Amino acid sequence: MSTAYHLPVWDTITAAWEKVYGSKASFWGATLHIILIGMAFGLLGAICQYVFSGGESVIHFISSFINFFLQMGIIYMVIRRAHDLPISYKDIFFPFRLDLIIKLIGLYILKILIMLPFILVMVITIATGASKGTLVVINALLALAALYLFVRLTLAAGYLLDRSVGPWQSIVLSFNATRSNFWRLFATFFILGLIYVLGIITLFIGFIWIMPLGFILYGLIYKRLSVNAPVA
């Protein structure tokens, strides 16, 4: 296996910042649409609970289902922005294609199955009446393992949307792309978290720029680490 490309943390963040210019309107337009759609379903759910029993739960499920694919649309947008392709708020509706819906559901299920053993170990540990100290140690180890897998799987949805591969292949590509980059990705996300805190300190005014920055950063990470997962 060839030597892996190592993500330059600060250079990637600054490059993402440069791409915020000219894209804020599109990302905020997409975000506003997602918020309005969520509010519409919230209102519909409030009405349905008085119409038939369980109506609110059904509407909440549909709302969560649609919101998931809208979030995937954001990922599609940021990948296009990272490649300097034109973007529009309408891109959030890109995943609403039958083939992509099936693949994205498959990816979601696979991620749950990958995480399932950690949940089972936690449940078994609690059920067997392990001591408090043992529970703390095991839960800490499980949290670290889950964090590791989360970072390694973070690009899977991007590959599924961008390369039109299947759920399992997208996971394989994500693992290939992120190899030897766990700590660099962790540092990148940690710095982004600090930037978000800065946005809160500025009474959320900073989020006008910080929110698009966070989105675009994913796209640049995807673009740069894709050299570790070349097209077959």
Side-chain angles (χ1 to χ4, degrees), residues 164-181:
S164 299
V165 296
W168 180 250
Q169 185 62 23
S170 68
I171 288 176
V172 173
L173 288 170
S174 183
F175 265 83
N176 289 340
T178 57
R179 63 189 172 94
S180 302
N181 276 282

PDB file of all heavy atoms in Angstrom, residues 164-181:
ATOM      1  N   SER A 164     -21.327   7.813  -6.656  1.00  0.00           N
ATOM      2  CA  SER A 164     -22.445   6.914  -6.966  1.00  0.00           C
ATOM      3  C   SER A 164     -22.105   5.449  -6.690  1.00  0.00           C
ATOM      4  O   SER A 164     -22.520   4.548  -7.438  1.00  0.00           O
ATOM      5  CB  SER A 164     -22.875   7.086  -8.431  1.00  0.00           C
ATOM      6  OG  SER A 164     -23.317   8.403  -8.664  1.00  0.00           O
ATOM      7  N   VAL A 165     -21.351   5.206  -5.627  1.00  0.00           N
ATOM      8  CA  VAL A 165     -21.017   3.832  -5.240  1.00  0.00           C
ATOM      9  C   VAL A 165     -22.061   3.325  -4.256  1.00  0.00           C
ATOM     10  O   VAL A 165     -22.925   4.078  -3.792  1.00  0.00           O
ATOM     11  CB  VAL A 165     -19.606   3.763  -4.609  1.00  0.00           C
ATOM     12  CG1 VAL A 165     -18.555   4.159  -5.623  1.00  0.00           C
ATOM     13  CG2 VAL A 165     -19.525   4.658  -3.375  1.00  0.00           C
ATOM     14  N   GLY A 166     -21.973   2.044  -3.918  1.00  0.00           N
ATOM     15  CA  GLY A 166     -22.909   1.464  -2.972  1.00  0.00           C
ATOM     16  C   GLY A 166     -22.534   1.771  -1.543  1.00  0.00           C
ATOM     17  O   GLY A 166     -21.444   2.298  -1.259  1.00  0.00           O
ATOM     18  N   PRO A 167     -23.401   1.430  -0.587  1.00  0.00           N
ATOM     19  CA  PRO A 167     -23.154   1.714   0.834  1.00  0.00           C
ATOM     20  C   PRO A 167     -21.852   1.118   1.358  1.00  0.00           C
ATOM     21  O   PRO A 167     -21.077   1.807   2.016  1.00  0.00           O
ATOM     22  CB  PRO A 167     -24.370   1.104   1.532  1.00  0.00           C
ATOM     23  CG  PRO A 167     -25.446   1.115   0.498  1.00  0.00           C
ATOM     24  CD  PRO A 167     -24.748   0.847  -0.790  1.00  0.00           C
ATOM     25  N   TRP A 168     -21.619  -0.177   1.087  1.00  0.00           N
ATOM     26  CA  TRP A 168     -20.411  -0.803   1.614  1.00  0.00           C
ATOM     27  C   TRP A 168     -19.157  -0.220   0.974  1.00  0.00           C
ATOM     28  O   TRP A 168     -18.158   0.033   1.663  1.00  0.00           O
ATOM     29  CB  TRP A 168     -20.450  -2.313   1.401  1.00  0.00           C
ATOM     30  CG  TRP A 168     -19.226  -2.995   1.933  1.00  0.00           C
ATOM     31  CD1 TRP A 168     -18.228  -3.584   1.235  1.00  0.00           C
ATOM     32  CD2 TRP A 168     -18.857  -3.123   3.322  1.00  0.00           C
ATOM     33  NE1 TRP A 168     -17.256  -4.078   2.079  1.00  0.00           N
ATOM     34  CE2 TRP A 168     -17.621  -3.802   3.362  1.00  0.00           C
ATOM     35  CE3 TRP A 168     -19.459  -2.725   4.527  1.00  0.00           C
ATOM     36  CZ2 TRP A 168     -16.973  -4.092   4.564  1.00  0.00           C
ATOM     37  CZ3 TRP A 168     -18.813  -3.001   5.714  1.00  0.00           C
ATOM     38  CH2 TRP A 168     -17.584  -3.686   5.727  1.00  0.00           C
ATOM     39  N   GLN A 169     -19.196   0.003  -0.326  1.00  0.00           N
ATOM     40  CA  GLN A 169     -18.034   0.567  -1.008  1.00  0.00           C
ATOM     41  C   GLN A 169     -17.718   1.967  -0.495  1.00  0.00           C
ATOM     42  O   GLN A 169     -16.544   2.348  -0.384  1.00  0.00           O
ATOM     43  CB  GLN A 169     -18.268   0.600  -2.521  1.00  0.00           C
ATOM     44  CG  GLN A 169     -17.064   1.068  -3.343  1.00  0.00           C
ATOM     45  CD  GLN A 169     -15.853   0.164  -3.194  1.00  0.00           C
ATOM     46  OE1 GLN A 169     -15.985  -1.013  -2.842  1.00  0.00           O
ATOM     47  NE2 GLN A 169     -14.667   0.704  -3.433  1.00  0.00           N
ATOM     48  N   SER A 170     -18.749   2.734  -0.159  1.00  0.00           N
ATOM     49  CA  SER A 170     -18.520   4.083   0.363  1.00  0.00           C
ATOM     50  C   SER A 170     -17.816   4.024   1.717  1.00  0.00           C
ATOM     51  O   SER A 170     -16.980   4.880   2.034  1.00  0.00           O
ATOM     52  CB  SER A 170     -19.850   4.838   0.488  1.00  0.00           C
ATOM     53  OG  SER A 170     -20.673   4.290   1.497  1.00  0.00           O
ATOM     54  N   ILE A 171     -18.145   3.014   2.525  1.00  0.00           N
ATOM     55  CA  ILE A 171     -17.478   2.834   3.816  1.00  0.00           C
ATOM     56  C   ILE A 171     -16.011   2.457   3.608  1.00  0.00           C
ATOM     57  O   ILE A 171     -15.113   2.980   4.279  1.00  0.00           O
ATOM     58  CB  ILE A 171     -18.203   1.768   4.651  1.00  0.00           C
ATOM     59  CG1 ILE A 171     -19.545   2.318   5.149  1.00  0.00           C
ATOM     60  CG2 ILE A 171     -17.345   1.303   5.827  1.00  0.00           C
ATOM     61  CD1 ILE A 171     -20.388   1.311   5.901  1.00  0.00           C
ATOM     62  N   VAL A 172     -15.767   1.556   2.663  1.00  0.00           N
ATOM     63  CA  VAL A 172     -14.386   1.148   2.350  1.00  0.00           C
ATOM     64  C   VAL A 172     -13.572   2.348   1.884  1.00  0.00           C
ATOM     65  O   VAL A 172     -12.428   2.556   2.315  1.00  0.00           O
ATOM     66  CB  VAL A 172     -14.379   0.044   1.275  1.00  0.00           C
ATOM     67  CG1 VAL A 172     -12.939  -0.248   0.819  1.00  0.00           C
ATOM     68  CG2 VAL A 172     -15.025  -1.229   1.806  1.00  0.00           C
ATOM     69  N   LEU A 173     -14.148   3.159   1.006  1.00  0.00           N
ATOM     70  CA  LEU A 173     -13.456   4.342   0.495  1.00  0.00           C
ATOM     71  C   LEU A 173     -13.163   5.333   1.617  1.00  0.00           C
ATOM     72  O   LEU A 173     -12.096   5.950   1.657  1.00  0.00           O
ATOM     73  CB  LEU A 173     -14.293   5.014  -0.596  1.00  0.00           C
ATOM     74  CG  LEU A 173     -14.373   4.288  -1.936  1.00  0.00           C
ATOM     75  CD1 LEU A 173     -15.417   4.937  -2.837  1.00  0.00           C
ATOM     76  CD2 LEU A 173     -13.010   4.283  -2.623  1.00  0.00           C
ATOM     77  N   SER A 174     -14.106   5.492   2.552  1.00  0.00           N
ATOM     78  CA  SER A 174     -13.906   6.404   3.669  1.00  0.00           C
ATOM     79  C   SER A 174     -12.749   5.929   4.545  1.00  0.00           C
ATOM     80  O   SER A 174     -11.913   6.743   4.981  1.00  0.00           O
ATOM     81  CB  SER A 174     -15.188   6.514   4.501  1.00  0.00           C
ATOM     82  OG  SER A 174     -15.035   7.445   5.551  1.00  0.00           O
ATOM     83  N   PHE A 175     -12.683   4.623   4.792  1.00  0.00           N
ATOM     84  CA  PHE A 175     -11.586   4.089   5.584  1.00  0.00           C
ATOM     85  C   PHE A 175     -10.253   4.261   4.865  1.00  0.00           C
ATOM     86  O   PHE A 175      -9.229   4.598   5.487  1.00  0.00           O
ATOM     87  CB  PHE A 175     -11.833   2.611   5.903  1.00  0.00           C
ATOM     88  CG  PHE A 175     -12.484   2.389   7.238  1.00  0.00           C
ATOM     89  CD1 PHE A 175     -13.857   2.497   7.378  1.00  0.00           C
ATOM     90  CD2 PHE A 175     -11.728   2.087   8.351  1.00  0.00           C
ATOM     91  CE1 PHE A 175     -14.467   2.304   8.607  1.00  0.00           C
ATOM     92  CE2 PHE A 175     -12.327   1.894   9.593  1.00  0.00           C
ATOM     93  CZ  PHE A 175     -13.699   2.001   9.721  1.00  0.00           C
ATOM     94  N   ASN A 176     -10.252   4.051   3.547  1.00  0.00           N
ATOM     95  CA  ASN A 176      -9.019   4.234   2.776  1.00  0.00           C
ATOM     96  C   ASN A 176      -8.567   5.693   2.802  1.00  0.00           C
ATOM     97  O   ASN A 176      -7.386   5.991   2.969  1.00  0.00           O
ATOM     98  CB  ASN A 176      -9.229   3.785   1.330  1.00  0.00           C
ATOM     99  CG  ASN A 176      -9.361   2.284   1.197  1.00  0.00           C
ATOM    100  OD1 ASN A 176      -8.955   1.532   2.086  1.00  0.00           O
ATOM    101  ND2 ASN A 176      -9.942   1.826   0.106  1.00  0.00           N
ATOM    102  N   ALA A 177      -9.525   6.595   2.622  1.00  0.00           N
ATOM    103  CA  ALA A 177      -9.196   8.020   2.546  1.00  0.00           C
ATOM    104  C   ALA A 177      -8.655   8.553   3.867  1.00  0.00           C
ATOM    105  O   ALA A 177      -7.765   9.410   3.890  1.00  0.00           O
ATOM    106  CB  ALA A 177     -10.428   8.820   2.124  1.00  0.00           C
ATOM    107  N   THR A 178      -9.188   8.065   4.977  1.00  0.00           N
ATOM    108  CA  THR A 178      -8.825   8.616   6.292  1.00  0.00           C
ATOM    109  C   THR A 178      -7.685   7.869   6.964  1.00  0.00           C
ATOM    110  O   THR A 178      -7.304   8.222   8.088  1.00  0.00           O
ATOM    111  CB  THR A 178     -10.051   8.603   7.232  1.00  0.00           C
ATOM    112  OG1 THR A 178     -10.552   7.260   7.347  1.00  0.00           O
ATOM    113  CG2 THR A 178     -11.160   9.507   6.702  1.00  0.00           C
ATOM    114  N   ARG A 179      -7.115   6.871   6.300  1.00  0.00           N
ATOM    115  CA  ARG A 179      -6.023   6.112   6.923  1.00  0.00           C
ATOM    116  C   ARG A 179      -4.848   7.035   7.245  1.00  0.00           C
ATOM    117  O   ARG A 179      -4.506   7.923   6.482  1.00  0.00           O
ATOM    118  CB  ARG A 179      -5.582   4.952   6.031  1.00  0.00           C
ATOM    119  CG  ARG A 179      -4.997   5.333   4.689  1.00  0.00           C
ATOM    120  CD  ARG A 179      -4.812   4.098   3.824  1.00  0.00           C
ATOM    121  NE  ARG A 179      -4.422   4.440   2.461  1.00  0.00           N
ATOM    122  CZ  ARG A 179      -3.156   4.482   2.056  1.00  0.00           C
ATOM    123  NH1 ARG A 179      -2.168   4.203   2.890  1.00  0.00           N
ATOM    124  NH2 ARG A 179      -2.875   4.788   0.805  1.00  0.00           N
ATOM    125  N   SER A 180      -4.278   6.822   8.406  1.00  0.00           N
ATOM    126  CA  SER A 180      -3.143   7.613   8.907  1.00  0.00           C
ATOM    127  C   SER A 180      -3.499   9.085   9.108  1.00  0.00           C
ATOM    128  O   SER A 180      -2.613   9.946   9.129  1.00  0.00           O
ATOM    129  CB  SER A 180      -1.942   7.505   7.947  1.00  0.00           C
ATOM    130  OG  SER A 180      -1.535   6.165   7.778  1.00  0.00           O
ATOM    131  N   ASN A 181      -4.791   9.381   9.231  1.00  0.00           N
ATOM    132  CA  ASN A 181      -5.216  10.774   9.388  1.00  0.00           C
ATOM    133  C   ASN A 181      -6.167  10.980  10.558  1.00  0.00           C
ATOM    134  O   ASN A 181      -6.757  12.046  10.674  1.00  0.00           O
ATOM    135  CB  ASN A 181      -5.899  11.272   8.102  1.00  0.00           C
ATOM    136  CG  ASN A 181      -4.902  11.749   7.065  1.00  0.00           C
ATOM    137  OD1 ASN A 181      -4.364  12.847   7.154  1.00  0.00           O
ATOM    138  ND2 ASN A 181      -4.638  10.894   6.086  1.00  0.00           N
TER     139      ASN A 181
END
